[in-house]
C-alpha cells in the first residue's frame, strides 16, 4: 500500500476544501483551530499500472498550511502526526509532499522518532526527491529543442543548486545530459563551493548574474512571492522549469518567447478515478500529480519498500536511472510544453 501526505497551498484554500469535504468543524475555524486539527485520511484508491500491476493507496492531508511555516512547533507536529497516521494505517511507503519533506529535513525531525506510542519507521517514508529530480531533467531534455534551444550549447542556471533536488539536477545535467554551461545559484557560498568541487565544474553566480546568461532556468528553491525579475534582461527563447513549491512563475514570466513549464509534474497513462489531485490543484487531476507522490506509487508497484529518497544530497545517478526506468514502465510521463503553453496576449 502507498501513501501520499499533502497539504493545501494556502489557509483560504484549505478552508474551502474542508467545506467541500464536509469537515465543517474546521472549515469555519481560524488559524489557531487549524493548528490543533489532526491529520485526515481523505481518500483511498486503487491504481493499475501500464504493465497490469494493481496497488492500493491513501491520501492523507496533514492539515498543515504554509501560513504555519513560522510556527516551528506546529509545523513539526503536523508532519509527525501525519506520518504517525500513515504508519498506523499500515502503509508501506508514503511520500512526503509539498513543504512536509522540507519541514522534516530543515527542522531535523529525525530526532523525533517516538510519537506517543508509535515509533516511526523511517523506511516507510520517502521524500520523493529522486523522482522529482529525474522528471525535471527529462522535462529539460525533451522540451528545450521544442523551442529552438540546442542543449549541447545551452547555458543552464539551477536556482537552488545546493538543495537535495538541485544538486541531483546539477549532477545529471553535467554527467548525463551534456550541456554548454552550468550556473549554480544559492545564497550560502560554502555548499556552492562543495558542489563545484564535487562536479569539477559549474560557475557560481548570483541570481541577477545568472538570469541574463541562461537559456534554461531550473527553479528548485521556494522563492519569495515578492521576487521581482526584469523580463527584458532574459534571453529569448528561454525555458523556465518551475520545480519549486508553490508553482507561481507562470504568473510572472510566461509569454513573448519565455516558456514556463511546471516542473516535477507527471502524468499517468490512464484516469485514476481519485479526487485527491483536485485538492493538490492539478490541471488534469485524474492523471497528473507531483513527481514526489508518484515516487511512492512507483516504489509500491516495484514492491521496493524502502526510504528510497532520504536525507540531503544522497541522490545518485544510479538511483535516478532506476526510478526513471520504473516510472516509464508503469505508465508515468513528464508533462511538457506542448500541453500547457499559454502565451500572454502581446
Ligand atoms: P532544499 O531545502 O534541499 O534546497 C533548497 C535550495 O534552494 C538550496 O540550494 C537553498 O540554498 C536554495 N535557496 C533557498 N532560498 C533561496 C533564495 N531565496 N535564493 C536562492 N536560492 C535559494 O529543498 P529541496 O531540494 O528538497 O526542494 C526544492 C524545491 O522543490 C522546494 O521548493 C520544494 O517545495 C520543491 N519540491 C517540488 C516538488 C514537485 O514539484 N514535484 C517535489 C518536492 C519538492 P541556500 O539556503 O544556500 O540559498
Amino acid at each position: 500500500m502507498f501513501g501520499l501526505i499533502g497539504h493545501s497551498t494556502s489557509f483560504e484554500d484549505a478552508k474551502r476544501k474542508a467545506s467541500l469535504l464536509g469537515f465543517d468543524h474546521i472549515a469555519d475555524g481560524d488559524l489557531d483551530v487549524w493548528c490543533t486539527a489532526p491529520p485526515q485520511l481523505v481518500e483511498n484508491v486503487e491504481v493499475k499500472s501500464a504493465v497490469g500491476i494493481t496497488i492500493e493507496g491513501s491520501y492523507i492531508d496533514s492539515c498543515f498550511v504554509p501560513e504555519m511555516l513560522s510556527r516551528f512547533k506546529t509545523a513539526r507536529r503536523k508532519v509527525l502526526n501525519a506520518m504517525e497516521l500513515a504508519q498506523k494505517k499500515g502503509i508501506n511507503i508514503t511520500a512526503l509532499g509539498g513543504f512536509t519533506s522540507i519541514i522534516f529535513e530543515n527542522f531535523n525531525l529525525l530526532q523525533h522518532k517516538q510519537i506517543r506510542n508509535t515509533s516511526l519507521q523511517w523506511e516507510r517514508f520517502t521524500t520523493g526527491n529522486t523522482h522529482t529530480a529525474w522528471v525535471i531533467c527529462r522535462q529539460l531534455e525533451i522540451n528545450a529543442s521544442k523551442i529552438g534551444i540546442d542543449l549541447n550549447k545551452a547555458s543552464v542556471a539551477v536556482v537552488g543548486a545546493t538543495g537535495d533536488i538541485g544538486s541531483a539536477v546539477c549532477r545529471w545535467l553535467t554527467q548525463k545530459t551534456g550541456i554548454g554551461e552550468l550556473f549554480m545559484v544559492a545564497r550560502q557560498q560554502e555548499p556552492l563551493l562543495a558542489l563545484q568541487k564535487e562536479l569539477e565544474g559549474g560557475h557560481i553566480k548570483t541570481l541577477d548574474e545568472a538570469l541574463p546568461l541562461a537559456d534554461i532556468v531550473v527553479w528548485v528553491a521556494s522563492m519569495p512571492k515578492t521576487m521581482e525579475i526584469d523580463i527584458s534582461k532574459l534571453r529569448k527563447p528561454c525555458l523556465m522549469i518551475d520545480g519549486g513549491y508553490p508553482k507561481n512563475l507562470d504568473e510572472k514570466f510566461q509569454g513573448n518567447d519565455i516558456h514556463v513549464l511546471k516542473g516535477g509534474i507527471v502524468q499517468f497513462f490512464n484516469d485514476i478515478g481519485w479526487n485527491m489531485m483536485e485538492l493538490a490543484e492539478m490541471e488534469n487531476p485524474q492523471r497528473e500529480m507531483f513527481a514526489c507522490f508518484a515516487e511512492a506509487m512507483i516504489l509500491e508497484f516495484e514492491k521496493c519498500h524502502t526510504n528510497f529518497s532520504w536525507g540531503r544530497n544522497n541522490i545518485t545517478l544510479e538511483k535516478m536511472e532506476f526510478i526513471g526506468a520504473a516510472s516509464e514502465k508503469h505508465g508515468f510521463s513528464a508533462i511538457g510544453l506542448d500541453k500547457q503553453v499559454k502565451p500572454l496576449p502581446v
Side-chain angles (χ1 to χ4, degrees):
M1 195 170 179
F2 70 92
L4 313 174
I5 293 179
H7 61 76
S8 301
T9 49
S10 70
F11 181 41
E12 272 316 303
D13 190 45
K15 287 177 31 150
R16 190 178 54 79
K17 286 173 195 159
S19 177
L20 283 174
L21 290 167
F23 297 136
D24 296 335
H25 53 295
I26 54 170
D28 299 330
D30 60 14
L31 192 62
D32 287 335
V33 170
W34 275 76
C35 283
T36 58
Q40 304 286 336
L41 196 158
V42 175
E43 192 173 18
N44 294 311
V45 71
E46 202 178 80
V47 188
K48 191 172 186 181
S49 96
V51 291
I53 300 170
T54 301
I55 56 173
E56 291 178 0
S58 301
Y59 183 84
I60 292 172
D61 193 313
S62 55
C63 283
F64 165 85
V65 291
E67 285 83 347
M68 293 171 193
L69 266 178
S70 56
R71 301 185 186 203
F72 169 78
K73 283 187 181 165
T74 302
R76 182 175 77 190
R77 192 163 26 81
K78 292 282 175 190
V79 176
L80 291 170
N81 285 348
M83 293 172 83
E84 181 202 24
L85 179 61
Q87 185 167 316
K88 277 189 162 170
K89 294 285 174 191
I91 299 173
N92 301 313
I93 186 73
T94 297
L96 303 178
F99 281 118
T100 63
S101 69
I102 293 191
I103 292 168
F104 189 91
E105 294 296 341
N106 292 1
F107 296 179
N108 201 10
L109 300 198
L110 269 181
Q111 293 173 339
H112 298 272
K113 206 174 164 67
Q114 195 65 33
I115 311 299
R116 291 169 285 274
N117 58 359
T118 305
S119 179
L120 290 177
Q121 296 161 354
W122 304 133
E123 64 274 17
R124 289 177 181 268
F125 300 94
T126 183
T127 62
N129 283 351
T130 311
H131 190 227
T132 301
W134 180 82
V135 167
I136 288 172
C137 292
R138 289 301 294 145
Q139 288 180 299
L140 184 153
E141 291 167 352
I142 293 166
N143 291 284
S145 63
K146 289 185 187 165
I147 57 166
I149 295 174
D150 178 356
L151 263 183
N152 293 322
K153 296 186 191 139
S155 296
V156 183
V158 178
V159 184
T162 53
D164 196 37
I165 299 171
S167 58
V169 167
C170 290
R171 250 169 242 132
W172 185 277
L173 294 181
T174 50
Q175 293 172 47
K176 302 287 286 186
T177 310
I179 54 168
E181 278 190 302
L182 173 69
F183 303 128
M184 302 176 297
V185 180
R187 292 162 304 178
Q188 300 169 74
Q189 285 303 298
E190 221 172 278
L192 279 168
L193 289 166
L195 181 65
Q196 191 178 44
K197 193 171 169 199
E198 179 206 317
L199 298 175
E200 297 176 352
H203 305 278
I204 296 171
K205 299 266 182 217
T206 65
L207 186 59
D208 286 345
E209 288 168 347
L211 286 183
L213 301 173
D215 302 296
I216 303 172
V217 187
V218 178
W219 299 83
V220 272
S222 299
M223 302 304 287
K225 274 190 181 163
T226 48
M227 178 187 64
E228 291 292 337
I229 283 165
D230 183 354
I231 296 187
S232 66
K233 291 196 176 145
L234 298 176
R235 279 198 173 169
K236 303 197 178 77
C238 182
L239 174 62
M240 299 258 180
I241 302 188
D242 187 3
Y245 182 87
K247 302 198 182 299
N248 48 19
L249 285 181
D250 51 352
E251 295 160 18
K252 289 182 198 293
F253 295 123
Q254 194 95 276
N256 306 329
D257 238 359
I258 299 169
H259 303 265
V260 180
L261 178 55
K262 285 194 162 64
I265 306 280
V266 288
Q267 180 163 274
F268 198 53
F269 77 107
N270 238 338
D271 282 357
I272 296 182
W274 59 13
N275 295 313
M276 43 183 119
M277 289 309 131
E278 265 162 50
L279 302 178
E281 293 177 345
M282 291 293 137
E283 275 174 37
N284 180 358
Q286 285 306 314
R287 295 191 179 203
E288 283 176 19
M289 69 198 84
F290 290 114
C292 57
F293 285 166
E295 181 171 306
M297 295 168 71
I298 295 163
L299 294 174
E300 179 66 12
F301 280 134
E302 290 287 309
K303 293 281 168 279
C304 181
H305 294 149
T306 171
N307 48 351
F308 189 77
S309 306
W310 205 239
R312 279 289 178 263
N313 294 7
N314 294 329
I315 300 177
T316 60
L317 297 181
E318 292 72 29
K319 282 191 145 186
M320 288 173 77
E321 278 169 347
F322 169 83
I323 205 76
S327 176
E328 288 176 338
K329 170 179 148 192
H330 292 292
F332 294 96
S333 56
I335 65 160
L337 279 176
D338 30 5
K339 176 181 165 294
Q340 62 154 56
V341 168
K342 286 179 273 179
L344 292 177
V346 186

